[in-house]
Amino acid sequence: MTTELGRLIARRIALAGPISMADFMAEALGHPRLGYYRGALPVGAAGDFTTAPEISQMFGEMVGAWLAERWLAMGKPLPVNLVELGPGRGSLMADALRATRGVAGFHAALELHLVETNAPLRTRQERALAGFRPVWHERFDEVPEGPLLLVANEFFDALPVRQFEKAHDGWHERMIGLAADGETLAFALGPGVTPYARFLGDAPDGAQAEIGEAGRALAAAIGGRVKRHGGWALIVDYGYETGAGTSVQAVRGHKGASLLDRPGETDLSAHVDFAALAAAADAPTFGPVSQAHFLRQLGIVQRAQTLKARATDDQCAAVDAALARLIGADQMGTLFRVLAIGDGRSIPAGFSEAP
Ligand code: SAH
């Protein structure tokens, strides 16, 4: 049994023909009433997945330190737009702001802008960040022009990607159509060679590839702001290992699910192609470095020690476990990467070569 959204998508395909993976993701995640990111709280222990800021306050604290350091490096612009893309429950920003209370003038300079489409999550963010009078937007383009400090954790992976497969006559787009029963969603290659072939280069037959136009457009918009007004952006996400292949995955209830099953109830995400984002930004970029490298350079190990000095045995064990999840090579430490886009006048904390 599929979902109401699954039936709507099948009807659209029956009427207008197969759709791209990008169109499918955009509908499945963003449909105004039935999309996955419109519905009840996806993030957190009770949702479908847990994120770094939900694992530990230390993550947001390190990001806060980075943002404040970049604000100082920018010459303390006033005002500065502090933007978060997809703030989830608001935990990252709340921890970042709590950690930077002592930075003279920083909070007074901030105008907080949150880009979020999910109404239940906006309510959470409002509660977590009430003291900072955030302004919400549907899209980054709506954020007023001005000096920029931006953070996005596990946001770019939710943006739609197109998928391609190489056949003997060239690259074809991987489309979603209907199975023989006329109802079930099914993959099929587009009949003609795709015009995107010129971005894909040569590859053996059967090779697969992805292009994320939405992510590239957003990186270009961020790069444009930084060039016009000065500023810095920090993008954290799980990234491409090899730069090739397809990566869209489906998760429901903390478990893998099948891609076309139950759209609207299933989280879909793609590995982020950091090289493509950096190229699209068309501004100085730093990294990507591993999340472990970034967090260690920002001082997360010392922060964990400070927290443990005032903690019970149980709390100490929880801090150690959280630290291991955030920086462990077998956990989030290497799969997750961090990219900075900025004015390039100095190397931001977390991105120097030394370990
Ligand atoms: N950054 C948070 C949440 C990550 S989940 C954390 O680390 O915990 C992705 C977030 O982006 C959610 O808040 C989701 O509602 C939001 N989101 C997803 N797609 C979006 C889009 N196209 N426009 C705006 N917000 C989006």
Side-chain angles (χ1 to χ4, degrees), residues 53-54 59-61 63-64 67 84 87 89-97 151-153:
E54 301 303 326
F59 185 80
E61 290 170 350
V63 172
L67 292 166
E84 184 170 1
R89 294 172 171 250
S91 312
L92 187 164
M93 191 55 75
D95 291 334
L97 290 170
V151 57
N153 185 59

Side-chain angles (χ1 to χ4, degrees), residues 255-312:
K255 285 203 201 75
S258 95
L259 288 178
L260 304 182
D261 251 15
R262 308 199 70 72
E265 291 178 5
T266 309
D267 179 44
L268 299 175
S269 64
H271 280 39
V272 171
D273 184 345
F274 281 105
L277 295 188
D282 193 26
T285 59
F286 297 83
V289 295
S290 70
Q291 176 167 300
H293 179 96
F294 176 79
L295 292 175
R296 280 179 184 281
Q297 282 199 347
L298 266 295
I300 196 167
V301 174
Q302 295 79 349
R303 178 63 182 142
Q305 273 158 4
T306 309
L307 286 173
K308 281 161 61 179
R310 308 177 242 139
T312 64

Side-chain angles (χ1 to χ4, degrees), residues 37 43 49 51 53 84 86-88 115-118 121 153-155:
Y37 275 118
V43 195
F49 56 95
T51 55
E84 184 170 1
V115 178
E116 176 62 66
T117 46
N118 180 293
L121 286 178
N153 185 59
E154 288 211 45
F155 178 83

